[in-house]
Amino acid sequence: MALLEVRDLNVRYGEIEALRGVSFTVEAGQVVTLLGSNGAGKSTTLRAISGLAKPASGEIVFDGQSISGRSPEQIVRLGISHVPEGRRVFPGLTVKENIMLGGSNRRAAKAELSREADAMFDLFPDIRPFSNALGWTLSGGQLQMVAVARGLMAKPRLLLLDEPSLGLAPVIVQAVFRIITEIRRRDTTVLLVEQNARMGLSVADQGYVLETGRLALGGKPDELWSNEAIRAAYLGGHAKAAV
Ligand SMILES: Nc1ncnc2c1ncn2[C@@H]1O[C@H](COP(=O)(O)OP(=O)(O)OP(=O)(O)O)[C@@H](O)[C@H]1O
Ligand SMILES: [Mg+2]
């Protein structure tokens, strides 16, 4: 049984049909990457799963139970953590306090959350120096690491990551993707939204492509890459130049 099953999902924003009949599965222990161009419906898919967008129809089943119609708070408690687009952090708090906020869904003692937040800096050593500072200024990549660390503090079974590499320099993008691989190694299932097909598929066990609200295709990363026509149409790949 898949950890997550999305069945025939439809989401509307007024007149706009953002998702039409989207179905896919996420197997436990895998990294699944959802690709698609601007406006394809990637963020809407994650928002529907985490309860932030209400589906017009369809069903979302997590670990065997339907979560459609549940509140975001209930869904977090069931073990799904959503790191949204953008890098929202609270400037009035220290970096460590920002990370600890992610654990507020759990009934853990503050001392325990504090210990766990400290341990997060093993995964994100770049932000360790800012741990207890107030008035910090972080780079885009560092803010992204704070956001991912906060998402992990919920101890999710499924982590939803929305374009964690957006706007980051290539070397920082690589660091973020190394972290995704490490998260998977620690047995957290990841549903990753990416526009960069090459990077997104490089860490994936399974890939799906959304095209204007519909699931256009899905498959193993090497299957998706090996089809030249698919690559050109959906993945931003280019046919090799004639020599
Ligand atoms: N709050 C909203 N109100 C109205 N329309 C919306 C809203 N959010 C998204 N949409 C529309 O729904 C469609 C899907 O948007 P979504 O944000 O899911 O796409 P995306 O694949 O995440 O795009 P991007 O790569 O630009 O983040 C788009 O047509 C978008 O304009
Ligand atoms: Mg988006």
Side-chain angles (χ1 to χ4, degrees):
M1 185 185 67
L3 180 63
L4 182 81
E5 194 176 343
V6 173
R7 293 183 195 148
D8 202 15
L9 188 66
N10 290 278
V11 178
R12 314 177 58 96
Y13 298 105
E15 290 295 291
I16 299 168
E17 289 186 295
L19 295 179
R20 289 173 289 164
V22 169
S23 301
F24 66 95
T25 56
V26 176
E27 299 294 330
Q30 296 201 333
V31 173
V32 173
T33 299
L34 194 56
L35 301 164
S37 49
N38 287 119
K42 305 181 298 297
S43 297
T44 301
T45 304
L46 296 192
R47 291 168 55 78
I49 296 167
S50 66
L52 296 171
K54 293 283 163 257
S57 63
E59 195 168 24
I60 301 170
V61 177
F62 178 65
D63 197 19
Q65 61 177 311
S66 174
I67 58 167
S68 314
R70 300 211 190 194
S71 71
E73 294 74 23
Q74 288 174 316
I75 291 171
V76 173
R77 249 178 272 130
L78 288 172
I80 299 179
S81 183
H82 183 183
V83 180
E85 274 173 301
R87 309 178 180 101
R88 266 157 266 168
V89 293
F90 299 94
L93 302 176
T94 68
V95 165
K96 182 174 163 182
E97 285 164 347
N98 265 284
I99 292 172
M100 283 174 65
L101 279 182
S104 53
N105 62 308
R106 296 162 42 205
R107 287 201 195 80
K110 197 158 178 209
E112 190 183 332
L113 293 179
S114 171
R115 256 196 316 278
E116 287 177 18
D118 284 333
M120 280 294 163
F121 295 115
D122 295 337
L123 194 53
F124 304 92
D126 289 3
I127 52 174
R128 191 194 297 276
F130 306 97
S131 169
N132 294 308
L134 274 166
W136 37 266
T137 310
L138 300 183
S139 70
Q142 290 163 339
L143 291 174
Q144 189 62 55
M145 289 173 193
V146 175
V148 176
R150 186 166 56 206
L152 286 172
M153 279 295 290
K155 291 218 167 153
R157 296 172 62 202
L158 175 64
L159 183 68
L160 310 175
L161 291 178
D162 199 343
E163 302 209 46
S165 70
L166 193 70
L168 302 181
V171 57
I172 310 296
V173 170
Q174 282 180 10
V176 169
F177 275 87
R178 265 200 305 279
I179 288 164
I180 294 171
T181 305
E182 175 62 19
I183 290 168
R184 179 190 190 281
R185 206 182 60 76
R186 296 180 179 195
D187 281 334
T188 300
T189 307
V190 178
L191 177 56
L192 168 70
V193 159
E194 256 301 325
Q195 276 197 53
N196 182 333
R198 188 174 295 278
M199 287 304 286
L201 290 178
S202 71
V203 292
D205 298 286
Q206 176 77 18
Y208 294 101
V209 181
L210 269 176
E211 197 192 26
T212 53
R214 287 188 189 280
L215 203 73
L217 48 117
K220 302 276 167 231
D222 54 346
E223 290 166 12
L224 293 176
W225 273 119
S226 63
N227 185 320
E228 194 86 358
I230 288 173
R231 213 158 70 207
Y234 299 109
L235 304 179
H238 301 284
K240 238 194 225 160
V243 212

